[in-house]
Amino acid sequence: MDRGRDKHTKKTAYLFAPKPGETLPHEIELQEDLHDYLDSACFEVQMETIDRSGGRADILVLFPEFSIVIECKREPKKAEPEDLKRYLGQTVAYQASGVTLGMLAVLDLTPKPHWFPNLRDNMWTEHVPAPDSRQLDRWAVVVRVPGNRTTPHDM
């Protein structure tokens, strides 16, 4: 969140406002960047893992006794915490056979005419109650990644 456009590589240009004629990025840019970051930090990670709760997980982080799925999304219109709750159903659905904790990473592509939220404002947990009281509730860590950024000078 600190480095400017001129210090980022072409691969992380998705974090900045598109240049004239360019379109907003898709979630795959966030997914690949997050995968590469976790991989470089020596986590065992897989992308597009099939057969996770009958679906395909965007990113699977493997630990010795459990795994966590990271669901990646992009949001060009509304990216407040209440708005992002609509993605929680898919996020927690991947927890059918493992721990009841998952992660949602959302690339926030909403306009940012002023400053963008502090890192602490871009990470939180969500409790997702089970639809049946005999089942375990589930949890998700939500990370909102500020994209479509401009420089402080341009604000």
Side-chain angles (χ1 to χ4, degrees):
M1 290 180 57
D2 287 328
R3 295 175 78 186
R5 182 190 291 263
D6 61 329
K7 299 292 184 198
H8 279 279
T9 65
K10 191 174 187 178
K11 189 169 183 147
T12 55
Y14 75 93
L15 295 170
F16 298 94
K19 294 177 182 175
E22 293 180 341
T23 59
L24 289 172
H26 296 279
E27 68 188 47
I28 189 68
E29 284 90 348
L30 171 64
Q31 183 180 351
E32 288 176 346
D33 191 25
L34 184 53
H35 173 273
D36 292 350
Y37 172 78
L38 292 168
D39 186 56
S40 70
C42 297
F43 285 95
E44 186 176 348
V45 292
Q46 300 172 356
M47 261 182 45
E48 299 295 330
T49 304
I50 60 170
D51 295 333
R52 286 301 296 196
S53 298
R56 182 177 62 220
D58 287 343
I59 298 174
L60 180 66
V61 184
L62 300 159
F63 295 93
E65 301 294 324
F66 64 96
S67 61
I68 292 179
V69 171
I70 303 174
E71 178 62 24
C72 297
K73 296 291 184 187
R74 75 191 275 265
E75 183 50 56
K77 296 180 183 171
K78 293 183 175 185
E80 293 303 315
E82 280 300 311
D83 303 314
L84 301 181
K85 286 184 177 185
R86 70 178 174 276
Y87 299 126
L88 292 176
Q90 182 181 5
T91 301
V92 301
Y94 290 111
Q95 301 165 10
S97 64
V99 296
T100 56
L101 174 68
M103 188 169 191
L104 171 64
V106 179
L107 178 58
D108 173 7
L109 297 172
T110 60
K112 295 174 185 57
H114 307 294
W115 64 53
F116 48 90
N118 183 280
L119 180 63
R120 293 172 298 192
D121 299 322
N122 281 315
M123 300 174 73
W124 62 91
T125 58
E126 291 282 355
H127 172 242
V128 183
D132 183 325
S133 63
R134 295 170 293 173
Q135 297 175 359
L136 293 173
D137 291 350
R138 298 182 186 182
W139 291 85
V141 174
V142 180
V143 177
R144 181 176 53 191
V145 178
N148 201 14
R149 294 170 27 195
T150 58
T151 66
H153 177 266
D154 294 331
M155 293 178 188

